[in-house]
Amino acid sequence: MDNNFENLCLNTIRFLAVDAIDKAGSGHPGAPMGMAPMAYALWQRFLKHNPANPNWADRDRFILSAGHASMLLYALLYLNGYDLSLDELKNFRQWDSRTPGHPEHGLTPGVDATTGPLGQGFANGVGMAIAERHLAARFNRPEFPIVDHHTYVLCSDGDLMEGITSEAASLAGTLKLGKLIYLYDSNNITIEGSTKLTFNEDVAQRFRAYNWQVVGPIDGMSIDAVDQAIREAQGDTQHPSLIICNTTIGYGSPNKAGTAGAHGEPLGKTETQLSKQHLNWPYDEPFAVPDDVLRHFRASVEKGRKHENDWQNLFENYARTYPDEALQFKEVLSGSLPHGWDSELNNLFDDTVKPMATREASGVILNALAAKVPALMGGSADLAPSNKTLIKGSDGFAPPYYAGRNLHFGIREHAMGAIAHGMALHGGVIPYTATFLMFYDYMRASVRLASLTKDRVVFIFTHDSIGVGEDGPTHQPIEQLTGLRSVPGLVTIRPADATETIEAWKLAIGKNDGPTALVLTRQAGPILNRNEFAPADGVRRGAYTLWQASDKPQLILLASGSEVHIALEAARKLKESSVAARVVSMPSWELFEAQSSEYKSSVLPPDVKARISIEAGLTFGWSRYTGDAGANIGINHFGASAPSNVLYEQFGINATKVVQAARMLLNIC
Amino acid sequence: MDNNFENLCLNTIRFLAVDAIDKAGSGHPGAPMGMAPMAYALWQRFLKHNPANPNWADRDRFILSAGHASMLLYALLYLNGYDLSLDELKNFRQWDSRTPGHPEHGLTPGVDATTGPLGQGFANGVGMAIAERHLAARFNRPEFPIVDHHTYVLCSDGDLMEGITSEAASLAGTLKLGKLIYLYDSNNITIEGSTKLTFNEDVAQRFRAYNWQVVGPIDGMSIDAVDQAIREAQGDTQHPSLIICNTTIGYGSPNKAGTAGAHGEPLGKTETQLSKQHLNWPYDEPFAVPDDVLRHFRASVEKGRKHENDWQNLFENYARTYPDEALQFKEVLSGSLPHGWDSELNNLFDDTVKPMATREASGVILNALAAKVPALMGGSADLAPSNKTLIKGSDGFAPPYYAGRNLHFGIREHAMGAIAHGMALHGGVIPYTATFLMFYDYMRASVRLASLTKDRVVFIFTHDSIGVGEDGPTHQPIEQLTGLRSVPGLVTIRPADATETIEAWKLAIGKNDGPTALVLTRQAGPILNRNEFAPADGVRRGAYTLWQASDKPQLILLASGSEVHIALEAARKLKESSVAARVVSMPSWELFEAQSSEYKSSVLPPDVKARISIEAGLTFGWSRYTGDAGANIGINHFGASAPSNVLYEQFGINATKVVQAARMLLNIC
């Protein structure tokens, strides 16, 4: 192919981006202009994909971690024949378009990950590569490499500065994820100016220290140099690869190239015109796509069809030789659960009488589930023995076999969240993570993105209150439960005992349109005898009447998790003095909100206005359920270092306080 | 000194830790046992400190980033003669003790930073070194190095795995903070087992890539080797130093040394006994401190007194030669503000009529403040042009002079938070940070710690709602304001216009017992003409009546920030149809909660039950103010990519919706 024509192709990408951003009146032209050669080399010469089927299981994955370069991706998707029209590009960043400011998975065909918050895409890639290696270990057979694809990530200076990237890169190197290939757009410019101001590190040396293969620095403006570098990266199957591409931000813009001015605002009419002249772009009208350029890109459609056809043939032969495996493979990819997956859960604790922490119960349930659901895999940020998240009898996920289902994330909560999310985005696995609830603070951005993209990840958080005890205020969550409840779309469940924990797990695993947070105690609590109390499947409705002294209660006690037992104790005491209380176990606000108003009123009858919430955390938001006439018992300050039971007493989270509050509300002296 | 005696000293530290942890029944013995030689070498041979005055300005700073090794620090503080008794050590991890599970600054004399959440202490250290270099640049004069101390940090594998550490280390290397010295306890063990599982990287190479001096790996169990390494580290003044100390976790415990079993639980009676035998510890009773050992350690008291005396003499001479500088130095260290610091703020926008984003206003105010308050310094995570946080006319904080007050943090929100906190912990500066509100998610853990330790940091968050517009849901905060409000002790202020922004800044700068979050708009809004509306100093009370159609309002509209203008528009419309509304501007829930109940009732009269909150974020928690009969207008789902005004319309955050809701509440058809 002659250079002139390839330049025309690059400029087509560039000016689709520039024109769309000009039209929108906002956006980031500099990155697409500089990254066009990297993207072109990767997409037109290497990427294994089928534009007609963006969900083909064995496609290479592509993540634009530098999500602000979204128009680069949209241009590629349109040009390569994905279901994304030129009109959508003209509608960039507008209401109801499929071309939002940052790429959104699920909204735009061909977008493998929602990116923009820097570093997240970088870490998602590691998760995708983990899923790929694991599924390959599980399903590939000699001569049948049905899972065999690369994960490619385009990343930027900003990605490399973010800590999450460091976490993910170190783990990827340890795990020898050789099919991960990152192209790093090293343009030496960030918003505040030269990277010299803040980022004087030797990136190549740093990544070699992480056990990565580092290729370059190469001339990132040369398609052939990028081509050669990707070949080199593919050649090393023992290390993830970082290709350092020296590029020019805003390449082609006479006045903005190489400056922060090209980063985050439209070039504007004049500069766009100058840029088009400068790059010998012969078209006056915006959004011009030369016919031969489009034809050239659209060859991907036929190539993609053939790619997938070849794979389908391979898979059909595989299915003949390994019919069970083929069925299982289809099942895990569909995201559905094996028949009978939950059949043995309900009886797990029948003979258990000893008090048990819900994290303990969770460990038992997780293992029972893992036996039935081979897609379930995950682990902890170095707290597995405390989080109770080890799948017994399974290996650690590690080279060279990768068949193990226990992930060791290291002390890297933020990357853990994004890696698990990347695994879910890849498909074929159901990932879970674990840490102390306190350290949700380290991974909030990743949990949010999993919720935004509606992916099934089970986020386990143990040590969920001052019940942590002696470790003190740095380790005692106070506002973190409020935090989980505030994430749109996230379902948070804080079960009261082992039996509610079963239901919580069922809901989490069964929900394939979003993540679930399981919030579990460190400390032991009674197991509710369901002959005495309402059935635990009330958890499905978010809140349910667990017990009441009378079916005409004067008072409602609402509680979640470990505090349900305090509510019960208080209700029993109140009964002794002839006060009829209802105890509502409320493990999940989100699930309760999804119920009919009839159901809600049945649990919280509008005429019973004396209501008390009890939770060992902020009272924030509880007034919604307890109302003007209610009271809230909780902790609106930091914790302290002391044994758990001392803290419960000192902070007034106990039955005595509940009884006092009840008497006050009911005007009983 | 003979080796036997030094071993006795080390074992005294070790068994104080072991005994205290045994007595408490919980804690982390492995780290103190392994780190005793590192700590001993540093504390007894290098650390410049005065046990009698833990707040001496020119002391070396010491951070135990591996905060779980708290007993190591408590043992050192006791032995070195700080105001911490042996009884306190016996009371380890108990209610009301000064020896909590993780070290808490402000609670225990000699604890320079609250640590435990891994990586935070590492980054705090960078902030302390920044403050030291800056104050040195500002105050030192030839022959008067009145600011001249090191910052020492003990850190662990877990610290090095956390992303925040990567961020902080890269910046420290760029800034050539040569007086930072980190001792890395490399014991190859984390909770889940060998670091080989997850952390196979070459730490030395990684830190060299960050432009650090790396010393070692050395034998961290040898006091002399550590001594030699610290000398080497001190010798390099152009690079921060990492001393890699190979150690044995749980050293001395015959059955647990070198294993994860030594990490997080007491050795227990038997193993303690065996360990004492193994190390030839001759004392049976717990908490034994040989007299000569105590005498040896307590030499620090006299040495410390002399250290500070020498410095006081230096400072007195300095004060004679540079009286103004000496006064200023005392002032900045006291944390008080210069006379007249706020004298020119109130008139800043008198002649301004054009609508203005509150971030714009903040930029003007910040610059006016910076002119009067030289201690004010800070910056953004690479968004200064958007956050409007540049101090004009000041340089960037950079080597070799460090006099600049503009910090360039790079795209490193998490480290930014902890670094700013470290600056505040150091004292002498008033730090501020800035990023988009969305990226508060990246720095939550650091903001929380600043609040826990009650340090003055101004956290600026701009682009505070769907007003972000086209950047879309990845960049539009929804639940982040709820998040800020939920942090105990943090004061969050979301001003409605430029005049409220003045008050917000005054409160933030004036509050020297905790951090403040300023939440600011991207988009322009009107400046409230205070002849027409109540004075802006109502901000101090958190909420105030801004305007009302009548002093007998039928309806209260509560709003914060940009939505105050929507409330006003709605109130005017309602007035046209003879509905009397009161508009309450409510920039800060925390400040409002601190008011008397009389004041609260005057703003929200109990008998006016028709109340509507309007905020472009979650409605979460607003029911507390709007009550059972109220309504909440907000956004309980993710945002979308479109122009800001379109989003306000599509999501129903507008005066029409408010008027509709008002009519519904008041039963007006």
Side-chain angles (χ1 to χ4, degrees):
Chain A
M1 192 157 328
D2 77 69
N3 269 340
N4 280 343
F5 182 72
E6 281 191 327
N7 273 330
L8 197 67
C9 291
L10 296 183
N11 290 337
T12 305
I13 295 172
R14 287 186 178 118
F15 289 117
L16 280 174
V18 166
D19 290 340
I21 292 161
D22 274 352
K23 182 157 188 288
S26 74
H28 302 79
M33 295 172 86
M35 290 160 87
M38 293 158 65
Y40 178 90
L42 173 60
W43 275 63
Q44 308 317 127
R45 299 196 183 173
F46 294 94
L47 198 71
K48 183 178 80 172
H49 62 136
N50 180 9
N53 179 11
N55 298 318
W56 169 36
D58 199 42
R59 73 190 185 279
D60 288 336
R61 300 304 194 271
F62 174 78
I63 300 176
L64 182 66
S65 189
H68 57 275
S70 56
M71 264 311 305
L72 173 70
L73 181 49
Y74 301 145
L76 288 167
L77 291 172
Y78 160 67
L79 291 169
N80 281 278
Y82 278 79
D83 180 16
L84 189 74
S85 69
L86 192 58
D87 279 345
E88 287 286 357
L89 271 60
K90 293 178 183 169
N91 225 1
F92 181 51
R93 293 179 152 240
Q94 302 311 304
W95 178 257
D96 221 16
S97 80
R98 293 162 93 188
T99 48
H102 293 80
E104 295 180 32
H105 174 69
L107 179 66
T108 314
V111 172
D112 281 335
T114 296
T115 52
L118 291 168
Q120 302 292 338
F122 191 104
N124 289 159
V126 175
M128 290 185 183
I130 286 173
E132 194 266 354
R133 281 297 80 196
H134 181 72
L135 292 172
R138 193 173 154 206
F139 290 105
N140 286 358
R141 292 293 178 275
E143 293 175 50
F144 291 106
I146 61 165
V147 181
D148 185 14
H149 53 267
H150 284 91
T151 299
Y152 295 101
V153 180
L154 287 198
C155 61
S156 63
D157 290 306
D159 286 301
L160 295 201
M161 285 195 229
E162 291 287 4
I164 183 176
T165 292
S166 187
E167 296 176 6
S170 179
L171 185 60
T174 298
L175 295 177
K176 298 183 193 287
L177 297 171
K179 297 176 82 180
L180 261 182
I181 298 178
Y182 286 66
L183 293 98
Y184 161 36
D185 175 39
S186 176
N187 62 29
N188 295 315
I189 285 295
T190 66
I191 291 173
E192 293 185 9
S194 159
T195 50
K196 288 284 168 215
L197 277 175
T198 54
F199 191 56
N200 218 355
E201 67 179 52
D202 181 336
V203 169
Q205 189 180 6
R206 176 176 152 214
F207 274 75
R208 286 196 185 101
Y210 294 139
N211 294 302
W212 283 50
Q213 177 198 28
V214 176
V215 183
I218 62 160
D219 176 4
M221 306 309 292
S222 154
I223 294 171
D224 291 331
V226 177
D227 179 311
Q228 180 53 36
I230 295 175
R231 269 172 227 286
E232 239 183 277
Q234 289 183 338
D236 183 340
T237 60
Q238 289 302 299
H239 304 89
S241 302
L242 184 77
I243 303 172
I244 302 179
C245 303
N246 287 336
T247 66
T248 304
I249 190 172
Y251 176 83
S253 161
N255 297 302
K256 293 190 171 181
T259 76
H263 170 76
E265 56 191 25
L267 289 191
K269 197 175 163 183
T270 311
E271 190 64 17
T272 295
Q273 218 161 20
L274 291 172
S275 305
K276 287 181 176 177
Q277 282 164 15
H278 187 74
L279 292 181
N280 298 316
W281 180 250
Y283 305 95
D284 281 339
E285 77 281 20
F287 298 101
V289 178
D291 287 345
D292 49 348
V293 166
L294 188 61
R295 221 169 14 248
H296 169 67
F297 276 105
R298 288 281 162 95
S300 299
V301 175
E302 187 43 40
K303 228 165 82 185
R305 199 185 327 270
K306 190 174 167 328
H307 267 315
E308 181 166 350
N309 276 345
D310 290 350
W311 182 84
Q312 291 290 0
N313 290 334
L314 180 77
F315 187 76
E316 277 162 30
N317 286 330
Y318 173 84
R320 275 190 285 276
T321 323
Y322 303 101
D324 292 348
E325 286 82 349
L327 273 175
Q328 280 172 32
F329 185 70
K330 282 185 182 171
E331 185 175 85
V332 298
L333 284 179
S334 74
S336 61
L337 296 166
H339 180 73
W341 65 276
D342 59 353
S343 61
E344 290 179 23
L345 299 180
N346 279 1
N347 310 321
L348 282 175
F349 304 108
D350 276 2
D351 303 322
T352 316
V353 287
K354 239 180 75 180
M356 179 185 266
T358 51
R359 65 174 166 137
E360 288 280 359
S362 171
V364 173
I365 298 158
L366 168 63
N367 272 280
L369 275 168
K372 299 272 189 173
V373 184
L376 189 62
M377 69 183 292
S380 164
D382 198 47
L383 292 169
S386 294
N387 300 140
K388 310 294 175 189
T389 45
L390 211 68
I391 299 176
K392 284 162 199 157
S394 180
D395 291 330
F397 175 88
Y401 301 115
Y402 298 113
R405 294 156 69 189
N406 286 308
L407 281 163
H408 298 285
F409 288 105
I411 303 162
R412 304 181 178 109
E413 299 80 6
H414 200 177
M416 173 173 72
I419 288 170
H421 183 200
M423 291 166 66
L425 284 165
H426 180 281
V429 295
I430 302 176
Y432 65 88
T433 71
T435 184
F436 291 160
L437 178 55
M438 189 62 246
F439 301 121
Y440 166 48
D441 275 10
Y442 278 60
M443 57 189 291
R444 293 214 188 202
S446 298
V447 172
R448 185 183 210 255
L449 277 168
S451 196
L452 178 58
T453 54
K454 303 188 196 305
D455 285 301
R456 175 166 50 189
V457 182
V458 185
F459 295 111
I460 300 169
F461 297 106
T462 71
H463 295 60
D464 69 350
S465 73
I466 51 164
V468 163
E470 293 89 340
D471 273 343
T474 55
H475 285 59
Q476 288 165 4
I478 295 292
E479 72 277 28
Q480 283 60 36
L481 186 54
T482 308
L484 289 168
R485 286 178 182 147
S486 71
V487 179
L490 180 67
V491 171
T492 300
I493 313 179
R494 185 171 185 245
D497 77 336
T499 60
E500 284 196 5
T501 309
I502 294 171
E503 298 301 318
W505 261 108
K506 281 191 210 164
L507 287 158
I509 292 288
K511 179 176 169 58
N512 66 8
D513 64 349
T516 304
L518 301 182
V519 178
L520 306 169
T521 64
R522 171 201 185 205
Q523 72 276 27
I527 298 182
L528 296 165
N529 179 345
R530 295 293 167 172
N531 297 320
E532 191 182 342
F533 299 104
D537 63 4
V539 172
R540 294 177 208 172
R541 291 168 170 268
Y544 64 105
T545 301
L546 181 65
W547 180 89
Q548 55 190 353
S550 141
D551 47 10
K552 292 264 178 270
Q554 301 160 265
L555 172 79
I556 302 174
L557 306 178
L558 298 96
S560 80
S562 37
E563 286 71 65
V564 168
H565 306 286
I566 293 174
L568 284 171
E569 189 190 338
R572 286 197 201 98
K573 284 190 182 177
L574 286 164
K575 194 183 174 193
E576 286 166 18
S577 50
S578 301
V579 177
R582 163 182 290 189
V583 174
V584 172
S585 176
M586 193 165 193
S588 175
W589 291 14
E590 301 84 14
L591 294 175
F592 186 64
E593 286 306 317
Q595 303 307 310
S596 66
S597 53
E598 288 74 22
Y599 179 76
K600 288 191 208 175
S601 297
S602 76
V603 177
L604 303 175
D607 59 328
V608 185
K609 301 229 181 280
R611 301 176 183 184
I612 303 171
S613 68
I614 309 121
E615 197 169 66
L618 293 189
T619 58
F620 200 123
W622 271 107
S623 64
R624 173 178 191 176
Y625 299 113
T626 50
D628 292 354
N632 305 111
I633 292 178
I635 306 170
N636 293 314
H637 50 75
F638 289 111
S641 174
S644 165
N645 57 333
V646 174
L647 294 174
Y648 270 87
E649 288 311 308
Q650 291 285 351
F651 295 155
I653 313 295
N654 56 43
T656 312
K657 287 278 173 189
V658 178
V659 169
Q660 275 172 12
R663 291 177 163 278
M664 196 120 88
L665 287 189
L666 296 170
N667 285 314
I668 308 172
C669 302
Chain B
M1 190 155 331
D2 78 68
N3 269 340
N4 279 342
F5 182 72
E6 280 191 327
N7 272 330
L8 197 66
C9 292
L10 297 183
N11 290 337
T12 304
I13 295 173
R14 287 184 179 120
F15 289 117
L16 281 175
V18 166
D19 290 339
I21 292 161
D22 274 352
K23 182 158 187 289
S26 72
H28 302 79
M33 295 172 86
M35 291 160 87
M38 293 158 64
Y40 179 89
L42 173 61
W43 275 62
Q44 307 316 127
R45 300 195 183 174
F46 294 94
L47 198 71
K48 183 179 76 172
H49 63 137
N50 180 9
N53 180 11
N55 299 317
W56 169 34
D58 199 41
R59 72 190 186 279
D60 288 335
R61 301 303 193 272
F62 174 78
I63 300 175
L64 182 66
S65 190
H68 56 273
S70 55
M71 263 313 303
L72 173 69
L73 180 50
Y74 301 144
L76 289 167
L77 291 172
Y78 160 67
L79 292 169
N80 281 278
Y82 279 79
D83 180 18
L84 190 73
S85 68
L86 191 58
D87 279 344
E88 287 286 357
L89 271 59
K90 292 178 183 168
N91 226 359
F92 182 50
R93 295 180 151 236
Q94 302 311 303
W95 178 256
D96 221 16
S97 80
R98 295 162 91 189
T99 47
H102 293 80
E104 294 180 33
H105 174 69
L107 179 65
T108 314
V111 172
D112 281 335
T114 296
T115 52
L118 291 168
Q120 302 291 338
F122 191 104
N124 288 158
V126 176
M128 290 186 183
I130 286 173
E132 193 267 353
R133 281 299 79 197
H134 181 72
L135 293 172
R138 194 172 153 206
F139 290 104
N140 287 357
R141 293 292 178 274
E143 294 174 50
F144 291 107
I146 61 164
V147 182
D148 184 15
H149 53 267
H150 284 91
T151 300
Y152 295 101
V153 180
L154 288 197
C155 61
S156 62
D157 291 305
D159 287 300
L160 295 201
M161 286 194 227
E162 291 286 3
I164 184 175
T165 291
S166 187
E167 297 176 5
S170 179
L171 184 60
T174 298
L175 295 177
K176 298 183 192 288
L177 297 171
K179 297 176 81 180
L180 261 182
I181 299 179
Y182 286 66
L183 292 100
Y184 160 38
D185 175 38
S186 176
N187 62 28
N188 295 315
I189 286 294
T190 66
I191 291 173
E192 293 185 8
S194 160
T195 50
K196 288 283 167 216
L197 278 174
T198 54
F199 191 54
N200 218 356
E201 66 179 51
D202 181 336
V203 169
Q205 190 180 4
R206 176 176 152 213
F207 274 75
R208 288 197 183 98
Y210 293 140
N211 294 303
W212 283 49
Q213 176 198 28
V214 177
V215 183
I218 63 161
D219 176 4
M221 306 310 291
S222 155
I223 294 171
D224 291 332
V226 176
D227 179 309
Q228 181 53 39
I230 294 175
R231 269 171 226 285
E232 240 183 277
Q234 289 183 339
D236 183 339
T237 59
Q238 289 302 301
H239 304 88
S241 303
L242 184 77
I243 303 172
I244 303 179
C245 303
N246 287 335
T247 66
T248 302
I249 189 172
Y251 176 84
S253 161
N255 297 302
K256 293 189 170 180
T259 75
H263 171 76
E265 56 189 25
L267 289 191
K269 195 173 166 188
T270 311
E271 189 64 17
T272 295
Q273 217 159 22
L274 291 172
S275 305
K276 288 181 177 178
Q277 283 164 13
H278 188 75
L279 293 180
N280 297 314
W281 180 250
Y283 305 94
D284 280 340
E285 78 281 19
F287 299 100
V289 179
D291 287 344
D292 49 347
V293 166
L294 188 61
R295 222 167 15 246
H296 169 66
F297 276 104
R298 287 281 162 95
S300 298
V301 175
E302 187 43 39
K303 227 166 81 186
R305 198 187 328 271
K306 189 175 170 327
H307 267 315
E308 181 166 351
N309 275 346
D310 290 349
W311 182 85
Q312 291 289 2
N313 290 335
L314 180 77
F315 187 75
E316 277 162 31
N317 286 330
Y318 173 84
R320 275 190 286 273
T321 325
Y322 304 100
D324 292 349
E325 286 83 347
L327 273 175
Q328 281 172 31
F329 184 71
K330 281 185 182 171
E331 184 175 87
V332 299
L333 282 179
S334 75
S336 61
L337 297 166
H339 180 73
W341 66 276
D342 60 351
S343 61
E344 289 178 27
L345 298 180
N346 279 0
N347 310 320
L348 282 175
F349 303 109
D350 277 1
D351 303 322
T352 316
V353 287
K354 241 180 75 180
M356 180 185 264
T358 52
R359 66 174 165 137
E360 289 280 359
S362 170
V364 174
I365 299 158
L366 168 64
N367 273 280
L369 275 168
K372 301 271 190 174
V373 185
L376 189 62
M377 68 183 292
S380 163
D382 197 48
L383 292 170
S386 294
N387 300 140
K388 310 294 175 190
T389 45
L390 212 66
I391 299 176
K392 285 163 199 158
S394 180
D395 291 331
F397 175 88
Y401 303 115
Y402 298 113
R405 293 156 69 189
N406 286 307
L407 282 162
H408 297 284
F409 288 104
I411 302 163
R412 304 180 177 110
E413 298 81 6
H414 200 177
M416 174 172 72
I419 289 170
H421 182 201
M423 293 167 65
L425 284 166
H426 181 280
V429 294
I430 302 176
Y432 65 88
T433 70
T435 184
F436 292 161
L437 179 54
M438 188 63 246
F439 301 121
Y440 165 48
D441 275 10
Y442 279 60
M443 58 191 290
R444 293 214 188 205
S446 298
V447 173
R448 184 182 209 257
L449 276 169
S451 196
L452 178 58
T453 54
K454 303 188 195 305
D455 285 302
R456 176 165 50 188
V457 182
V458 184
F459 294 111
I460 300 170
F461 298 106
T462 72
H463 296 60
D464 69 350
S465 73
I466 52 164
V468 164
E470 293 89 340
D471 273 344
T474 55
H475 284 58
Q476 288 165 4
I478 295 292
E479 72 277 28
Q480 283 62 33
L481 187 53
T482 308
L484 288 168
R485 286 177 181 147
S486 72
V487 180
L490 180 66
V491 170
T492 300
I493 313 180
R494 185 171 184 245
D497 77 336
T499 61
E500 284 196 3
T501 309
I502 294 171
E503 298 302 319
W505 261 108
K506 281 191 211 165
L507 288 158
I509 292 287
K511 179 178 170 59
N512 66 8
D513 64 348
T516 304
L518 301 182
V519 178
L520 307 169
T521 63
R522 172 202 184 203
Q523 72 276 27
I527 299 183
L528 297 165
N529 178 343
R530 295 291 167 172
N531 298 319
E532 192 182 341
F533 299 105
D537 63 4
V539 171
R540 293 177 208 173
R541 292 169 170 267
Y544 64 105
T545 301
L546 180 66
W547 181 89
Q548 54 191 353
S550 141
D551 47 10
K552 291 265 179 272
Q554 302 161 265
L555 172 78
I556 302 173
L557 305 178
L558 297 97
S560 80
S562 37
E563 286 70 65
V564 169
H565 306 285
I566 293 174
L568 284 170
E569 188 189 339
R572 287 195 200 98
K573 283 192 184 178
L574 286 163
K575 193 184 175 191
E576 286 165 19
S577 50
S578 301
V579 176
R582 163 182 290 189
V583 174
V584 171
S585 176
M586 192 165 193
S588 175
W589 291 14
E590 300 83 14
L591 295 175
F592 186 64
E593 286 305 319
Q595 303 307 312
S596 67
S597 54
E598 288 72 23
Y599 179 76
K600 289 192 208 174
S601 296
S602 76
V603 176
L604 303 176
D607 59 327
V608 186
K609 300 227 182 284
R611 302 177 183 183
I612 303 171
S613 68
I614 309 121
E615 196 168 67
L618 293 189
T619 58
F620 200 124
W622 272 107
S623 64
R624 174 176 189 177
Y625 300 113
T626 50
D628 292 355
N632 305 109
I633 292 179
I635 306 171
N636 293 315
H637 50 74
F638 289 110
S641 174
S644 163
N645 57 334
V646 174
L647 294 174
Y648 270 86
E649 289 311 308
Q650 291 285 350
F651 294 154
I653 312 295
N654 56 43
T656 312
K657 286 278 173 187
V658 178
V659 169
Q660 276 173 13
R663 292 178 163 277
M664 196 119 87
L665 288 189
L666 297 169
N667 285 313
I668 307 171
C669 301

